[in-house]
Amino acid sequence: MATNNIKAIRPYDDPRVTHNFQVVNGKNYHYVHGMPAGSIKGTILCVHGFPDLWYGFRFIIPFLLEKGFRVIVPDMIGYGQTDAPRVPPADISAYSLKNHATDMIELLKILNVPKVILFGHDWGAAVTSRIYIYNNEIVSHIANVCVPFYPPIREYIPIRELVATKIPSFKYQIAFQDPQTEKDTEAPGKVRQFLNGLHRGRGDERGELMVDKDIVESIGNPKRSKFMTEEDLDYYAKEFERNGFHGPLNWYKAGKVNYEDEKDLPFEGVKVPYLFIGATHDRALPPSMAESQKHLITQLTTRLVDTGHWALVEGPEVVIGHMNEWFDAVVLGDKCKI
């Protein structure tokens, strides 16, 4: 399937989906909802990462609908039309993985979804793992792109130490935690510029991501990615200009809270079928980082795509191919439990 044969969901007025709002645990969430034309085979919750929106799944949603699944795709806290608590007065725990997971579990309850397939990209993959850890009884299958499953955090390592000793490719996260980064995005035109600079694919000109400060300047304002249309970039810019980068960057600042929430959580591994799709040219999250999950997941399927981090839009036809194979063999197979 070629990319140009996939009729992506449009940002506005696409008849295949509806835009809805729901108050969840006191917060107002915007989510996109789609129903298949025929009988419903199950429900899939798609969870995006940074800096993204529900719109990051624009190529994937049509495939899931055609496959017979109900699809729920929220803007996560801090993003788009969903609430974006200011810190302060709110506590940084508003952006913790526990809060994201419990909000999604409650949203599914409100929408009468007793059993769900989880599909995450980037931070969204971290959220799907936490949904499973906090309430595995509602999860039938998990599929994640770029970010592997990782168990509850048993040791808190500050980001500078983590970069220096274990994961040098997370250097950019030091800059994301620097208050100056948020301030730099508040200048006129900088929200659009920063989004444009971060949404890069193979072959695109790019600034330097691996810095620990002044990342907005370092990313620069290169030519728009060939995987992003002008309409796409316009929509992202409009949605991020609602609340800026305050909320999205706070996801990177909740590490200590995540550790406190998870250090004593019981965990006995992942017992449901799990698809991991790694991106071979992801600079921050190379597929080698997924090696450890092999010891955590009993029913693991691993596939690779020859893309950068934005695999869902850079190589949607390959991602969909891997998902279709897994859906037919595992999700809709003889052992289906959805």
Side-chain angles (χ1 to χ4, degrees), residues 189-241:
K190 290 298 183 181
V191 165
R192 184 186 183 92
Q193 176 184 318
F194 198 38
L195 286 165
N196 177 52
L198 289 170
H199 284 255
R200 301 284 97 191
R202 289 190 66 196
D204 288 334
E205 61 180 74
R206 66 179 70 230
E208 181 52 60
L209 175 70
M210 294 300 169
V211 295
D212 59 9
K213 63 179 181 179
D214 300 327
I215 194 167
V216 177
E217 178 182 353
S218 178
I219 288 290
N221 192 23
K223 181 181 178 181
R224 175 172 50 81
S225 170
K226 57 181 176 288
F227 305 109
M228 180 89 76
T229 68
E230 197 66 26
E231 181 185 42
D232 295 337
L233 187 55
D234 287 344
Y235 183 69
Y236 273 100
K238 177 185 175 184
E239 292 303 301
F240 272 79
E241 284 167 356

Side-chain angles (χ1 to χ4, degrees), residues 80-92:
Q81 298 177 66
T82 292
D83 282 354
R86 300 292 300 184
V87 180
D91 187 78
I92 191 62

Side-chain angles (χ1 to χ4, degrees), residues 20-307:
N20 306 277
F21 291 88
Q22 178 64 54
V23 175
V24 180
N25 295 327
K27 291 155 279 187
N28 195 31
Y29 272 85
H30 165 254
Y31 68 96
V32 165
H33 183 253
M35 295 288 282
S39 60
I40 301 173
K41 297 176 181 177
T43 299
I44 300 180
L45 175 70
C46 300
V47 189
H48 71 78
F50 176 96
D52 212 347
L53 301 163
W54 72 269
Y55 194 57
F57 293 93
R58 59 191 177 274
F59 289 104
I60 308 300
I61 295 171
F63 158 72
L64 297 175
L65 294 175
E66 290 176 10
K67 204 70 180 171
F69 290 94
R70 177 189 184 189
V71 183
I72 301 167
V73 196
D75 283 337
M76 297 303 287
I77 282 291
Y79 290 89
Q81 298 177 66
T82 292
D83 282 354
R86 300 292 300 184
V87 180
D91 187 78
I92 191 62
S93 62
Y95 293 93
S96 70
L97 288 173
K98 180 180 181 180
N99 266 320
H100 303 318
T102 54
D103 281 356
M104 292 300 98
I105 292 167
E106 181 64 16
L107 176 63
L108 293 170
K109 181 179 178 182
I110 292 169
L111 297 180
N112 193 29
V113 181
K115 208 77 169 179
V116 69
I117 299 168
L118 301 174
F119 181 40
H121 173 249
D122 190 72
W123 271 111
V127 174
T128 63
S129 69
R130 269 53 202 159
I131 294 172
Y132 181 84
I133 290 170
Y134 283 107
N135 195 345
N136 59 36
E137 293 182 356
I138 69 169
V139 180
S140 67
H141 303 76
I142 303 172
N144 283 331
V145 180
C146 293
V147 173
F149 191 100
Y150 61 96
I153 302 167
R154 304 305 192 199
E155 178 186 11
Y156 174 64
I157 305 176
I159 186 61
R160 285 191 177 276
E161 181 181 345
L162 184 67
V163 169
T165 60
K166 294 179 180 291
I167 313 179
S169 63
F170 279 8
K171 186 177 182 179
Y172 66 97
Q173 294 190 18
I174 299 174
F176 284 176
Q177 293 186 26
D178 184 347
Q180 187 62 44
T181 297
E182 181 185 343
K183 293 178 183 177
D184 289 345
T185 64
E186 294 171 351
K190 290 298 183 181
V191 165
R192 184 186 183 92
Q193 176 184 318
F194 198 38
L195 286 165
N196 177 52
L198 289 170
H199 284 255
R200 301 284 97 191
R202 289 190 66 196
D204 288 334
E205 61 180 74
R206 66 179 70 230
E208 181 52 60
L209 175 70
M210 294 300 169
V211 295
D212 59 9
K213 63 179 181 179
D214 300 327
I215 194 167
V216 177
E217 178 182 353
S218 178
I219 288 290
N221 192 23
K223 181 181 178 181
R224 175 172 50 81
S225 170
K226 57 181 176 288
F227 305 109
M228 180 89 76
T229 68
E230 197 66 26
E231 181 185 42
D232 295 337
L233 187 55
D234 287 344
Y235 183 69
Y236 273 100
K238 177 185 175 184
E239 292 303 301
F240 272 79
E241 284 167 356
R242 291 176 186 274
N243 296 298
F245 275 89
H246 177 80
L249 289 170
N250 274 329
W251 285 58
Y252 291 92
K253 301 174 184 178
K256 185 69 178 292
V257 175
N258 292 334
Y259 160 71
E260 293 293 344
D261 287 338
E262 299 180 10
K263 59 185 175 67
D264 298 318
L265 276 180
F267 176 68
E268 298 179 354
V270 179
K271 310 299 183 184
V272 300
Y274 187 107
L275 171 66
F276 174 72
I277 301 176
T280 57
H281 297 275
D282 191 330
R283 295 179 66 202
L285 298 153
S288 59
M289 291 181 64
E291 287 297 313
S292 62
Q293 73 179 357
K294 294 179 180 178
H295 308 292
L296 306 173
I297 304 169
T298 57
Q299 302 175 68
L300 174 64
T301 300
T302 299
R303 296 290 184 267
L304 297 175
V305 290
D306 192 30
T307 70

